Amino acid sequence: MKIYQSMILTSLILTMLILISFLISKKSILDLNKTSSFECGFMKMNSSRKSFSIHFFMIAIIFLMFDVELTLILPMISSMKMMKIKQWLKSSMIILMLISYGLYHEWYNGVIEWSK
């Protein structure tokens, strides 16, 4: 019985919090100047959401991918002491071949080129 009461009380509190936050965060048409982007005191010429370079986004994603790959390369140095030389060479070559293939694939598809 106490479990049901606590569930009902919890759901009532959550519902009240959701309703209060919805009422407080209600924006009106009068707040249009407050919500618009500020460009050196001038009215904005166009929507700030339209001008987005997908190529810049792709370069950023590639940078993050190679940054993660760098975290795979760095432990190879310390793992050399724990592994046999053949195992270390084999695993290192596999990792480096995968990274090189990824770079070749991006280069072949023209993702890395900034101007086309």
Side-chain angles (χ1 to χ4, degrees):
M1 189 66 160
K2 288 185 178 185
I3 294 174
Y4 293 122
Q5 288 175 349
S6 64
M7 286 174 55
I8 291 172
L9 182 64
T10 305
S11 62
L12 284 174
I13 290 173
L14 286 175
T15 305
M16 284 181 12
L17 287 173
I18 290 171
L19 287 174
I20 290 171
S21 68
F22 180 73
L23 292 174
I24 290 173
S25 68
K26 196 70 170 169
K27 295 185 180 186
S28 65
I29 297 173
L30 300 175
D31 294 334
L32 183 63
N33 287 333
K34 289 181 182 178
T35 59
S36 66
S37 61
F38 181 73
E39 296 180 5
C40 301
F42 298 104
M43 291 299 293
K44 61 182 182 175
M45 298 298 229
N46 56 10
S47 177
S48 60
R49 299 272 182 199
K50 289 181 185 175
S51 59
F52 180 75
S53 174
I54 193 69
H55 194 73
F56 179 75
F57 178 74
M58 291 301 295
I59 294 292
I61 294 296
I62 290 170
F63 173 75
L64 287 175
M65 286 177 10
F66 281 106
D67 196 32
V68 168
E69 291 168 352
L70 185 64
T71 61
L72 292 174
I73 291 174
L74 286 177
M76 287 185 344
I77 298 167
S78 63
S79 69
M80 188 166 66
K81 296 176 184 175
M82 296 180 237
M83 300 171 75
K84 294 180 182 176
I85 192 71
K86 285 186 179 182
Q87 292 175 336
W88 183 80
L89 281 173
K90 188 175 180 181
S91 64
S92 299
M93 286 299 150
I94 289 173
I95 290 173
L96 290 176
M97 282 177 22
L98 286 173
I99 292 171
S100 300
Y101 176 72
L103 178 63
Y104 170 74
H105 181 70
E106 291 161 358
W107 188 10
Y108 182 74
N109 287 332
V111 177
I112 298 176
E113 295 176 11
W114 188 257
S115 61
K116 291 184 179 182

